[in-house]
Amino acid sequence: MGALRTPREKWVEEGLRTLASGGVDAVRVEALAKSLGVTKGGFYGYFADRDALLTEMLDTWEHEATDDVLDRIAHEDGDTRDKARLAGRLTFSERLRPIDLAVRDWARRDRAVAERLRRVDNTRMALLREAIGTVCTDPDEIEARSLLAFCMAIGNHFLAADHPGRTRAEVLDRAGDLILDRPPAAAEPDRPHR
């Protein structure tokens, strides 16, 4: 009986992990093989070359970042705004956020990756427009609120500012309420809302 091959999905998953931690330049066949504890020969049983792996990694990221998210929210209870919040949590989860940020960096140098990122972001923006359209009818305001929500979701990971007297989570929740036109939650007895 021959030796078992490292499954194709393991190569893709290790590639995504490496992309998230070191960027696209760190995704090298020899380095992935070493991380997986195998020889690089098995790689070529699945992929013609590194570019084929990179394409499959992007396919996996796009599927998880859009199709899987949309499928999950379609099966959830709640109004469209609740589903938009869930989509944001899924999209910028501990797994997807670092991959997403690495893809954004990669897209600055690769036109094909930039086009794929545009497609993913357009899918995300369409979901935001739908959610915000349930609380607002002005197309200009819907677009502006959608942009603010998306920028908040991405930019939050780059911001190092403090929020005196509040946690980042509290500020993000309130910002989301403002974007989705929700009244503030009841003020805590020891601290009024501002």
Side-chain angles (χ1 to χ4, degrees):
M1 177 181 263
L4 293 176
R5 286 166 90 183
T6 302
R8 177 185 201 100
E9 298 78 29
K10 293 273 189 195
W11 289 99
V12 173
E13 189 58 36
E14 188 62 23
L16 288 169
R17 189 196 63 70
T18 302
L19 173 68
S21 65
V24 69
D25 293 336
V27 180
R28 298 278 178 221
V29 176
E30 285 185 32
L32 297 178
K34 185 176 180 179
S35 293
L36 290 168
V38 299
T39 65
K40 66 180 184 173
F43 172 86
Y44 294 103
Y46 296 120
F47 306 99
D49 54 23
R50 177 178 178 263
D51 286 340
L53 171 65
L54 293 175
T55 297
E56 191 153 334
M57 288 166 47
L58 286 169
D59 290 346
T60 299
W61 165 74
E62 183 173 1
H63 179 76
E64 288 181 23
T66 57
D67 300 335
D68 286 355
V69 169
L70 292 173
D71 184 56
R72 170 87 185 272
I73 65 171
H75 294 92
E76 289 291 321
D77 292 330
D79 65 18
T80 306
R81 293 178 294 179
D82 291 332
K83 290 181 178 189
R85 282 180 182 259
L86 175 60
R89 285 192 305 275
L90 295 171
T91 298
F92 296 104
S93 66
E94 289 301 311
R95 171 175 165 68
L96 287 178
R97 182 185 68 237
I99 298 169
D100 194 86
L101 295 175
V103 169
R104 287 179 188 288
D105 182 57
W106 183 8
R108 293 175 31 218
R109 298 180 307 277
D110 186 311
R111 185 174 256 153
V113 176
E115 281 305 311
R116 189 183 289 248
L117 177 60
R118 180 182 312 281
R119 183 171 59 232
V120 169
D121 281 355
N122 281 334
T123 299
R124 293 167 170 169
M125 283 291 288
L127 180 64
L128 284 167
R129 287 182 194 106
E130 180 183 341
I132 293 168
T134 65
V135 298
C136 168
T137 58
D138 178 4
D140 293 333
E141 189 171 337
I142 291 169
E143 196 65 22
R145 287 183 188 208
S146 298
L147 178 66
L148 288 170
F150 204 179
C151 288
M152 181 178 72
I154 294 169
N156 172 54
H157 306 291
F158 295 105
L159 188 64
D162 294 320
H163 307 287
R166 296 159 190 82
T167 66
R168 174 64 60 90
E170 290 170 331
V171 174
L172 287 172
D173 281 346
R174 183 62 187 127
D177 289 342
L178 291 169
I179 289 168
L180 294 172
D181 206 26
R182 288 185 179 185
E188 296 174 21
D190 60 334
R191 194 185 84 224
H193 273 279
R194 297 164 204 208

